[in-house]
Amino acid sequence: RKAINFSNTIEYKLDPAVIPAPGSIGEENVLAVANDISGNVYFSFQNADGVPRGIRRWDAENETVALYLPSRIDWTSLKVGPDGLLYGARNIFGIYRETANGTIDNNPFAVGNSGEGYIDMDFDPDHNLWAVGNNENIFKINITTGTVDRFPFDADLRAVRYYDGKLYMGGRFDDGTEDGSLEIWTMDVSNGQASNPQQFLNISDV
């Protein structure tokens, strides 16, 4: 009793886990999000009617948002590349890149095969761009030449990240049920090659 009178004081503050981007509008829909090495955030958005309006840039230092690129595309993924340019995927067989004249959605610089769809993507330290989607392969895109290499991996993938020598890929896998199994898999990446697929986590079992 009254032990609080003999206790130390510890001061701390709580920061909100979620905050609105400065200048954003509540009725707008944010789609793909990316960030650069300076901490600036880029995000594509739709208006309240679901019409794509472009890509905004959130200045991390000044806490301001401005239209970065106009765009008519619903982007599924954005990434800032090692060249400082913005890359985009939109669930078709092409990867788009920011151009010198301030556009991103005219023509893809890398084109795959008809029927393929690139939904998410990420860079590795060797500047290879890895893309995934609902396909029989994962894809490595050479950002210098635009060539596409394929590595067998049959799944309905929705996310990919590179970390510490591995690709982490999340999506639905065929397990004989109607909806499939939600899982995360890894593949080893070395010298631009992806191999050794391993299940990392079966989310459906949790």
Side-chain angles (χ1 to χ4, degrees):
R1 293 185 304 175
K2 297 185 179 181
I4 192 172
N5 297 325
F6 303 95
S7 298
N8 295 328
T9 298
I10 300 175
E11 295 183 358
Y12 62 93
K13 70 174 185 176
L14 298 177
D15 290 327
V18 179
I19 60 174
S24 62
I25 300 173
E27 290 77 17
E28 293 177 343
N29 302 311
V30 172
L31 303 175
V33 181
N35 64 283
D36 60 22
I37 58 174
S38 299
N40 301 308
V41 178
Y42 302 80
F43 58 93
S44 61
F45 68 101
Q46 302 170 330
N47 64 14
D49 297 325
V51 178
R53 298 300 300 273
I55 299 169
R56 286 185 174 136
R57 178 179 180 268
W58 179 358
D59 187 319
E61 181 176 357
N62 298 312
E63 292 291 301
T64 58
V65 166
L67 183 66
Y68 183 73
L69 288 173
S71 171
R72 306 178 304 274
I73 299 302
D74 286 333
W75 299 104
T76 59
S77 181
L78 292 173
K79 283 289 182 295
V80 178
D83 50 12
L85 299 176
L86 199 60
Y87 289 72
R90 48 178 291 200
N91 195 18
I92 66 169
F93 55 100
I95 300 293
Y96 295 73
R97 179 167 55 195
E98 180 182 358
T99 64
N101 62 357
T103 63
I104 192 175
D105 58 353
N106 286 343
N107 296 293
F109 84 93
V111 179
N113 296 331
S114 178
E116 295 174 343
Y118 309 150
I119 289 180
D120 195 26
M121 56 188 179
D122 201 17
F123 283 96
D124 68 20
D126 295 325
H127 301 172
N128 297 306
L129 181 61
W130 297 89
V132 302
N134 188 2
N135 306 289
E136 296 178 353
N137 302 282
I138 63 171
F139 308 92
K140 182 188 73 175
I141 292 94
N142 184 312
I143 63 172
T144 301
T145 63
T147 55
V148 179
D149 293 324
R150 293 163 180 81
F151 300 87
F153 196 88
D154 190 359
D156 184 2
L157 297 174
R158 287 295 179 268
V160 61
R161 291 295 181 271
Y162 174 90
Y163 178 72
D164 195 23
K166 293 180 181 291
L167 290 177
Y168 289 78
M169 303 168 292
R172 291 190 181 275
F173 291 74
D174 186 3
D175 64 352
T177 64
E178 182 178 355
D179 295 330
S181 175
L182 287 171
E183 302 175 19
I184 297 174
W185 282 62
T186 66
M187 290 185 77
D188 298 332
V189 174
S190 179
N191 297 320
Q193 303 296 303
S195 62
N196 190 31
Q198 298 282 331
Q199 187 188 68
F200 181 74
L201 176 65
N202 189 332
I203 302 173
S204 295
D205 285 345
V206 177

mmCIF file of all heavy atoms in Angstrom, residues 170-188:
data_model
loop_
_atom_site.group_PDB
_atom_site.id
_atom_site.type_symbol
_atom_site.label_atom_id
_atom_site.label_comp_id
_atom_site.label_asym_id
_atom_site.label_seq_id
_atom_site.Cartn_x
_atom_site.Cartn_y
_atom_site.Cartn_z
ATOM 1 N N GLY A 170 4.045 -14.156 -51.144
ATOM 2 C CA GLY A 170 2.813 -14.518 -50.471
ATOM 3 C C GLY A 170 1.644 -14.589 -51.429
ATOM 4 O O GLY A 170 1.550 -13.788 -52.372
ATOM 5 N N GLY A 171 0.765 -15.552 -51.215
ATOM 6 C CA GLY A 171 -0.415 -15.670 -52.058
ATOM 7 C C GLY A 171 -1.180 -16.945 -51.761
ATOM 8 O O GLY A 171 -1.048 -17.539 -50.687
ATOM 9 N N ARG A 172 -1.992 -17.349 -52.734
ATOM 10 C CA ARG A 172 -2.811 -18.552 -52.583
ATOM 11 C C ARG A 172 -2.210 -19.700 -53.393
ATOM 12 O O ARG A 172 -1.801 -19.515 -54.531
ATOM 13 C CB ARG A 172 -4.241 -18.286 -53.058
ATOM 14 C CG ARG A 172 -5.017 -17.341 -52.149
ATOM 15 C CD ARG A 172 -6.492 -17.282 -52.506
ATOM 16 N NE ARG A 172 -7.203 -16.360 -51.640
ATOM 17 C CZ ARG A 172 -7.685 -16.680 -50.446
ATOM 18 N NH1 ARG A 172 -7.538 -17.904 -49.983
ATOM 19 N NH2 ARG A 172 -8.313 -15.770 -49.705
ATOM 20 N N PHE A 173 -2.215 -20.869 -52.777
ATOM 21 C CA PHE A 173 -1.661 -22.060 -53.386
ATOM 22 C C PHE A 173 -2.748 -23.122 -53.480
ATOM 23 O O PHE A 173 -3.590 -23.248 -52.594
ATOM 24 C CB PHE A 173 -0.479 -22.592 -52.562
ATOM 25 C CG PHE A 173 0.738 -21.711 -52.605
ATOM 26 C CD1 PHE A 173 0.761 -20.516 -51.906
ATOM 27 C CD2 PHE A 173 1.838 -22.070 -53.357
ATOM 28 C CE1 PHE A 173 1.881 -19.692 -51.944
ATOM 29 C CE2 PHE A 173 2.965 -21.259 -53.409
ATOM 30 C CZ PHE A 173 2.977 -20.067 -52.702
ATOM 31 N N ASP A 174 -2.712 -23.887 -54.541
ATOM 32 C CA ASP A 174 -3.707 -24.929 -54.767
ATOM 33 C C ASP A 174 -3.479 -26.081 -53.790
ATOM 34 O O ASP A 174 -2.439 -26.737 -53.818
ATOM 35 C CB ASP A 174 -3.589 -25.423 -56.209
ATOM 36 C CG ASP A 174 -4.696 -26.411 -56.567
ATOM 37 O OD1 ASP A 174 -5.576 -26.653 -55.710
ATOM 38 O OD2 ASP A 174 -4.679 -26.947 -57.691
ATOM 39 N N ASP A 175 -4.474 -26.308 -52.903
ATOM 40 C CA ASP A 175 -4.390 -27.432 -51.977
ATOM 41 C C ASP A 175 -5.580 -28.372 -52.121
ATOM 42 O O ASP A 175 -5.870 -29.171 -51.232
ATOM 43 C CB ASP A 175 -4.295 -26.919 -50.532
ATOM 44 C CG ASP A 175 -5.539 -26.153 -50.090
ATOM 45 O OD1 ASP A 175 -6.411 -25.890 -50.957
ATOM 46 O OD2 ASP A 175 -5.649 -25.834 -48.893
ATOM 47 N N GLY A 176 -6.293 -28.234 -53.248
ATOM 48 C CA GLY A 176 -7.434 -29.096 -53.498
ATOM 49 C C GLY A 176 -8.750 -28.520 -53.029
ATOM 50 O O GLY A 176 -9.810 -29.059 -53.365
ATOM 51 N N THR A 177 -8.724 -27.415 -52.256
ATOM 52 C CA THR A 177 -9.947 -26.772 -51.817
ATOM 53 C C THR A 177 -10.331 -25.673 -52.802
ATOM 54 O O THR A 177 -9.558 -25.289 -53.674
ATOM 55 C CB THR A 177 -9.784 -26.171 -50.410
ATOM 56 O OG1 THR A 177 -8.801 -25.123 -50.453
ATOM 57 C CG2 THR A 177 -9.320 -27.241 -49.420
ATOM 58 N N GLU A 178 -11.539 -25.132 -52.620
ATOM 59 C CA GLU A 178 -12.032 -24.124 -53.563
ATOM 60 C C GLU A 178 -11.223 -22.831 -53.500
ATOM 61 O O GLU A 178 -10.916 -22.231 -54.538
ATOM 62 C CB GLU A 178 -13.505 -23.815 -53.258
ATOM 63 C CG GLU A 178 -14.123 -22.800 -54.214
ATOM 64 C CD GLU A 178 -15.597 -22.556 -53.925
ATOM 65 O OE1 GLU A 178 -16.143 -23.250 -53.032
ATOM 66 O OE2 GLU A 178 -16.188 -21.689 -54.578
ATOM 67 N N ASP A 179 -10.860 -22.396 -52.290
ATOM 68 C CA ASP A 179 -10.157 -21.126 -52.132
ATOM 69 C C ASP A 179 -8.648 -21.267 -52.121
ATOM 70 O O ASP A 179 -7.933 -20.271 -52.285
ATOM 71 C CB ASP A 179 -10.600 -20.434 -50.839
ATOM 72 C CG ASP A 179 -12.067 -20.029 -50.870
ATOM 73 O OD1 ASP A 179 -12.568 -19.750 -51.984
ATOM 74 O OD2 ASP A 179 -12.699 -20.017 -49.807
ATOM 75 N N GLY A 180 -8.143 -22.458 -51.935
ATOM 76 C CA GLY A 180 -6.708 -22.639 -51.838
ATOM 77 C C GLY A 180 -6.188 -22.282 -50.455
ATOM 78 O O GLY A 180 -6.932 -21.892 -49.558
ATOM 79 N N SER A 181 -4.882 -22.407 -50.292
ATOM 80 C CA SER A 181 -4.233 -22.184 -49.009
ATOM 81 C C SER A 181 -3.407 -20.903 -49.061
ATOM 82 O O SER A 181 -2.663 -20.668 -50.016
ATOM 83 C CB SER A 181 -3.320 -23.372 -48.676
ATOM 84 O OG SER A 181 -2.586 -23.147 -47.504
ATOM 85 N N LEU A 182 -3.555 -20.045 -48.041
ATOM 86 C CA LEU A 182 -2.758 -18.820 -47.948
ATOM 87 C C LEU A 182 -1.396 -19.162 -47.367
ATOM 88 O O LEU A 182 -1.303 -19.634 -46.231
ATOM 89 C CB LEU A 182 -3.461 -17.790 -47.067
ATOM 90 C CG LEU A 182 -4.693 -17.117 -47.662
ATOM 91 C CD1 LEU A 182 -5.405 -16.295 -46.596
ATOM 92 C CD2 LEU A 182 -4.317 -16.233 -48.829
ATOM 93 N N GLU A 183 -0.337 -18.894 -48.137
ATOM 94 C CA GLU A 183 0.995 -19.301 -47.713
ATOM 95 C C GLU A 183 2.033 -18.253 -48.098
ATOM 96 O O GLU A 183 1.814 -17.427 -48.988
ATOM 97 C CB GLU A 183 1.366 -20.644 -48.353
ATOM 98 C CG GLU A 183 0.389 -21.774 -48.039
ATOM 99 C CD GLU A 183 0.726 -23.061 -48.777
ATOM 100 O OE1 GLU A 183 1.885 -23.204 -49.232
ATOM 101 O OE2 GLU A 183 -0.170 -23.921 -48.900
ATOM 102 N N ILE A 184 3.187 -18.312 -47.411
ATOM 103 C CA ILE A 184 4.367 -17.539 -47.772
ATOM 104 C C ILE A 184 5.495 -18.517 -48.060
ATOM 105 O O ILE A 184 5.756 -19.432 -47.273
ATOM 106 C CB ILE A 184 4.777 -16.579 -46.635
ATOM 107 C CG1 ILE A 184 3.665 -15.553 -46.382
ATOM 108 C CG2 ILE A 184 6.086 -15.856 -46.994
ATOM 109 C CD1 ILE A 184 3.921 -14.673 -45.188
ATOM 110 N N TRP A 185 6.135 -18.331 -49.205
ATOM 111 C CA TRP A 185 7.242 -19.180 -49.628
ATOM 112 C C TRP A 185 8.479 -18.328 -49.843
ATOM 113 O O TRP A 185 8.384 -17.110 -50.031
ATOM 114 C CB TRP A 185 6.898 -19.919 -50.926
ATOM 115 C CG TRP A 185 5.990 -21.096 -50.724
ATOM 116 C CD1 TRP A 185 4.711 -21.088 -50.238
ATOM 117 C CD2 TRP A 185 6.291 -22.455 -51.018
ATOM 118 N NE1 TRP A 185 4.191 -22.360 -50.208
ATOM 119 C CE2 TRP A 185 5.144 -23.217 -50.685
ATOM 120 C CE3 TRP A 185 7.403 -23.111 -51.533
ATOM 121 C CZ2 TRP A 185 5.088 -24.594 -50.850
ATOM 122 C CZ3 TRP A 185 7.353 -24.483 -51.702
ATOM 123 C CH2 TRP A 185 6.209 -25.226 -51.358
ATOM 124 N N THR A 186 9.635 -18.968 -49.809
ATOM 125 C CA THR A 186 10.891 -18.288 -50.114
ATOM 126 C C THR A 186 11.589 -18.988 -51.276
ATOM 127 O O THR A 186 11.360 -20.173 -51.534
ATOM 128 C CB THR A 186 11.848 -18.285 -48.909
ATOM 129 O OG1 THR A 186 12.254 -19.632 -48.614
ATOM 130 C CG2 THR A 186 11.191 -17.656 -47.690
ATOM 131 N N MET A 187 12.420 -18.225 -51.969
ATOM 132 C CA MET A 187 13.358 -18.779 -52.943
ATOM 133 C C MET A 187 14.696 -18.088 -52.740
ATOM 134 O O MET A 187 14.762 -16.885 -52.479
ATOM 135 C CB MET A 187 12.866 -18.586 -54.377
ATOM 136 C CG MET A 187 11.664 -19.435 -54.745
ATOM 137 S SD MET A 187 11.191 -19.305 -56.499
ATOM 138 C CE MET A 187 12.456 -20.342 -57.275
ATOM 139 N N ASP A 188 15.769 -18.851 -52.848
ATOM 140 C CA ASP A 188 17.113 -18.304 -52.735
ATOM 141 C C ASP A 188 17.466 -17.543 -54.001
ATOM 142 O O ASP A 188 17.172 -18.000 -55.120
ATOM 143 C CB ASP A 188 18.132 -19.415 -52.504
ATOM 144 C CG ASP A 188 17.901 -20.179 -51.201
ATOM 145 O OD1 ASP A 188 17.348 -19.573 -50.263
ATOM 146 O OD2 ASP A 188 18.256 -21.365 -51.141
#
